Amino acid sequence: MEQEYIILLQKILVVLFSVTLFWKIIKHICGLLVIEKEPVTVLVTGAAGQIGYALLPMIARGVMLGPDQPVIIHMLDIEPAAEALNGVKMELIDAAFPLLKDVVATTDVVEACQGVNIAVMVGGFPRKEGMKRKDVMSKNVSIYKAQASALEQHAAPDCKVLVVANPANTNALILKEFAPSIPEKNITCLTRLDHNRALGQISEKLNVHVSDVWNVIIWGNHSSTQYPDINHATVKTTNGEKSVRDAIANDNWLNTEFITTVQQRGATIIKARKLSSALSAASAACDHIRDWVLGTPKGTWVSMGVYSDGSYGIQPGIMYSFPVTCEKGQWSIVNGLKIDELSREKMDATAKELMDEKTLAYSCLIDD
């Protein structure tokens, strides 16, 4: 009897060993079959500047497109910044990012746009002391007209474009006008920074984690007329989910100080650090592209500056920030949200500013 037990135990051990070995062989074979994704080519203009310096390592580390997506980075800047640009390239190489397959540093817009899948347009002409608004607009119209032409001719057919440089909405509009073969839904501008700023203010006010606040909206222009709207926002509290307005229970703060704090946050940061908000802008650019490409979580939306189709009574033909959801690389405006009287007034005011900017930009084109 004892001998039978020993034989049975030996058989069980053989079976277990065989199963374990078989499983290891299967895992090894599966590992060999894993095919690395094709690299995505990402262009960053103004790459030697502050935002570029913060943004490039985020892209190379997988923050923008995910931890398993290899990237090729194209960096473009103007001739006077060529040496600094080369220094940034050296640093990217020295950082030995596993996902970074190649780096191109150039002052040639055609070389920079070659085969690009995603373009993050950070470069632009900043307003300097004593400059008239039209002079700044004229400089940027010229820059974005030239870059639009290069993207249209040399970028990948499905290239997605994010404009960061101010005036972001109108720069994106000019780019769209001069790159007609790029689908209009593939050209956007950055209002995610303002969206994130609004989330940050709410989370600080309620003393909750920022991930527990969702569905704020930035309407309109990336300027001091933008409208940060919390009327549809939700917060997770210890007592369950609540509307942000009910949780804060201070309409005066929400309708005044909250709005102006978000609108003027960029100027406040410049005053504090004597430099612009590069880190948060770079992070927001990654958030914008990541959600656009990989999708927004179910039940949530984000703010993106997109070409208006007339939704919410906003004039078609301008780049305006709306709440959007993203799926399979496409964004869609969230429709059907109730708009109160205060919101309507503020949404229309920022739309009017964008129409004025458009008129100014087009007058620059005529003078060009």
Side-chain angles (χ1 to χ4, degrees), residues 240-291:
E241 292 181 6
K242 286 185 177 182
S243 78
V244 164
R245 192 170 285 280
D246 287 347
I248 288 179
N250 185 341
D251 283 353
N252 183 55
W253 182 81
L254 285 168
N255 294 339
T256 56
E257 187 182 337
F258 164 72
I259 291 173
T260 55
T261 297
V262 176
Q263 288 174 335
Q264 296 169 15
R265 186 69 163 184
T268 305
I269 289 169
I270 289 172
K271 187 177 179 181
R273 71 182 292 258
K274 312 299 183 251
L275 294 164
S276 65
S277 45
L279 185 155
S280 52
S283 182
C286 285
D287 291 343
H288 177 112
I289 297 290
R290 185 191 62 245
D291 285 345

Side-chain angles (χ1 to χ4, degrees), residues 8 17 50 65 109 124 171 176 202 210 213 233 242 250 265 272 296 327 330:
L8 179 61
F17 176 77
Q50 273 206 98
L65 295 170
V109 68
N171 285 344
K176 178 201 161 295
I202 296 297
V210 71
V213 186
K242 286 185 177 182
N250 185 341
R265 186 69 163 184
T296 45
E327 187 177 4
Q330 300 293 325

Side-chain angles (χ1 to χ4, degrees), residues 11 13 24 28 43 58 69 103 105 151 162 180 207 228 233 239 254 292-293 307 321 323 339:
K11 287 181 177 178
L13 289 171
K24 286 183 176 179
H28 179 68
L43 165 65
M58 294 184 188
Q69 178 57 66
V103 187
L151 279 171
L162 167 61
N207 195 27
N239 299 318
L254 285 168
W292 189 3
V293 172
Y307 194 63
S321 182
I339 305 299

Side-chain angles (χ1 to χ4, degrees), residues 126-316:
R127 188 168 187 170
K128 297 177 181 176
E129 194 174 348
M131 282 189 76
K132 292 180 180 176
R133 191 159 160 256
K134 185 169 182 178
D135 295 334
V136 182
M137 186 70 76
S138 180
K139 293 278 188 185
N140 280 293
V141 162
S142 178
I143 291 167
Y144 277 83
K145 184 178 174 182
Q147 293 183 348
S149 178
L151 279 171
E152 177 163 60
Q153 292 177 53
H154 304 287
D158 62 345
C159 179
K160 287 177 164 58
V161 183
L162 167 61
V163 177
V164 176
N166 289 320
N169 298 58
T170 301
N171 285 344
L173 182 66
I174 293 301
L175 195 147
K176 178 201 161 295
E177 292 296 313
F178 288 94
S181 70
I182 297 177
E184 65 184 37
K185 290 199 77 168
N186 281 26
I187 298 173
T188 62
C189 71
L190 187 72
T191 55
R192 183 60 174 268
L193 175 55
D194 309 300
H195 181 102
N196 289 350
R197 285 168 171 167
L199 291 175
Q201 291 302 304
I202 296 297
S203 71
E204 285 207 321
K205 185 75 171 176
L206 291 171
N207 195 27
V208 300
H209 193 271
V210 71
S211 62
D212 291 331
V213 186
W214 60 92
N215 290 357
V216 299
I217 302 168
I218 301 297
W219 299 100
N221 198 4
H222 175 60
S223 75
S224 60
T225 69
Q226 64 175 264
Y227 171 44
D229 178 3
I230 54 80
N231 289 314
H232 312 280
T234 302
V235 59
K236 185 167 74 176
T237 71
T238 51
N239 299 318
E241 292 181 6
K242 286 185 177 182
S243 78
V244 164
R245 192 170 285 280
D246 287 347
I248 288 179
N250 185 341
D251 283 353
N252 183 55
W253 182 81
L254 285 168
N255 294 339
T256 56
E257 187 182 337
F258 164 72
I259 291 173
T260 55
T261 297
V262 176
Q263 288 174 335
Q264 296 169 15
R265 186 69 163 184
T268 305
I269 289 169
I270 289 172
K271 187 177 179 181
R273 71 182 292 258
K274 312 299 183 251
L275 294 164
S276 65
S277 45
L279 185 155
S280 52
S283 182
C286 285
D287 291 343
H288 177 112
I289 297 290
R290 185 191 62 245
D291 285 345
W292 189 3
V293 172
L294 302 179
T296 45
K298 192 171 182 181
T300 68
W301 60 66
V302 293
S303 302
M304 286 172 61
V306 300
Y307 194 63
S308 175
D309 61 358
S311 293
Y312 294 101
I314 301 303
Q315 303 93 315

